Amino acid sequence: MSIRQRLFGDLTDSPVYRETTDAEIQSIITPDNKGDDSADSGFIGDTPFSIEIVSRSKVPAKTEARRSLFSVKRLADDDLTDDSPCTKKLRQVENDLAALTTQNVIKAVERLQSRNLVADGSRDYTLPTIPGKHGDLKSITHGTMSDVLDGKYKDKIGEVTIVDCRYPYEFDGGHIQGAVNMYTKDDVNSLLQSRDTFEKPHILVFHCEFSSERGPKMYRFLRSQDRELNKEQYPRLNFPEVYLLDGGYKTFFTTQKEHCEPASYKPMLHEDHAADLRHFRVKSKSWTEGEKQKTSKRQRSRLNRHLSF
């Protein structure tokens, strides 16, 4: 089909129709503006004929404005409220509280490091301490322990709990006056359930046979549990003043028999208690081996119920 037929279709049947050549039609659509072809096509001189296609750059301003209005990225809620006085005040209060909390923790740590203070930084240690074998623990001598039992510190101390971490057969074979036998972690956890009613300090003194393993281990365990219970109120502790009896019961018995009841000493490796040793050793370790999760859950429930103050 020729260009003429595609462009004009059924007009060829019109009585006024004049046969037009393909060349003439082509010159109308795409004039070359040369010679007489321009005159024949009805255009004067150099005036071109073209169909202008409106580009995107020439879209009316109104359309562009509409597009811009809906394409602008929305500001975040925080940006919208940056200039709000209430928001500024709230953020300032939050920042001040965070800074205050951080400063308090830093001051507490510095205070604990700069002086011989108990673990919550509230006061100095009541009893004289020595370096001992465990640098991270506060140790006292058997002489100081004897002075406490003799009442030389009664004006400074409200209560003293001596925690004997040896096995029951050792404890029954001789222990310090007034001591309590606690050789499992469940036993030590029970201390955290008690509430002091004394205005003066309640101190704890841990020991075992030599104060080399069982006593220090229980001391650290109690401090760890105490920190966990009071983590939201650092450096507060239920028992901030805790000591380790240097040399353990053996050294104390050697020099202070008058404060032992009965006045005797039975070692852990006593030949008559080999079966007891196996039994109590397994029992003391069962908390961390076989029953840790169950016991821990039970203890947390009890501690939360009794220490919700």
Side-chain angles (χ1 to χ4, degrees), residues 16 21 55 92 188 205 221 225 241 264-265 268 271:
V16 296
T21 66
S55 66
Q92 184 62 45
V188 173
V205 180
F221 174 74
Q225 293 295 93
E241 191 167 357
S264 61
Y265 162 55
M268 182 183 72
E271 58 183 5

Side-chain angles (χ1 to χ4, degrees), residues 142 145-146 149-150 162 164 166 170-179 207 245 248-266:
H142 51 83
M145 184 76 261
S146 179
L149 295 173
D150 288 337
I162 303 172
D164 190 330
R166 297 178 299 158
E170 297 175 83
F171 182 83
D172 293 340
H175 57 267
I176 300 174
Q177 293 174 350
H207 77 84
L245 178 60
Y249 180 77
K250 181 179 181 179
T251 300
F252 185 84
F253 173 76
T254 302
T255 60
Q256 310 292 335
K257 291 183 181 180
E258 67 275 13
H259 288 300
C260 298
E261 52 184 25
S264 61
Y265 162 55
K266 183 170 291 186

Side-chain angles (χ1 to χ4, degrees), residues 91-126:
R91 287 178 178 171
Q92 184 62 45
V93 170
E94 291 176 347
N95 292 337
D96 290 345
L97 288 175
L100 182 61
T101 300
T102 302
Q103 291 174 5
N104 287 342
V105 172
I106 293 175
K107 288 181 179 179
V109 173
E110 292 176 347
R111 179 178 168 84
L112 290 172
Q113 293 176 343
S114 62
R115 295 174 54 187
N116 188 35
L117 300 176
V118 297
D120 65 354
S122 61
R123 60 181 184 273
D124 291 328
Y125 275 94
T126 305

Side-chain angles (χ1 to χ4, degrees), residues 163-166 170 206-216 244-245 247-250:
V163 184
D164 190 330
C165 301
R166 297 178 299 158
E170 297 175 83
F206 282 80
H207 77 84
C208 55
E209 184 176 3
F210 306 106
S211 287
S212 60
E213 182 177 352
R214 290 174 290 175
L244 179 69
L245 178 60
Y249 180 77
K250 181 179 181 179

Side-chain angles (χ1 to χ4, degrees), residues 55-99:
S55 66
R56 293 179 61 87
S57 62
K58 294 183 179 181
V59 175
K62 184 176 181 180
T63 304
E64 277 297 324
R66 181 180 178 86
R67 181 182 297 114
S68 299
L69 177 64
F70 289 97
S71 63
V72 173
K73 183 180 179 181
R74 288 190 61 185
L75 296 175
D77 291 341
D78 289 343
D79 296 334
L80 293 175
T81 58
D82 276 347
D83 296 331
S84 169
C86 293
T87 301
K88 287 184 177 180
K89 184 65 176 178
L90 178 60
R91 287 178 178 171
Q92 184 62 45
V93 170
E94 291 176 347
N95 292 337
D96 290 345
L97 288 175

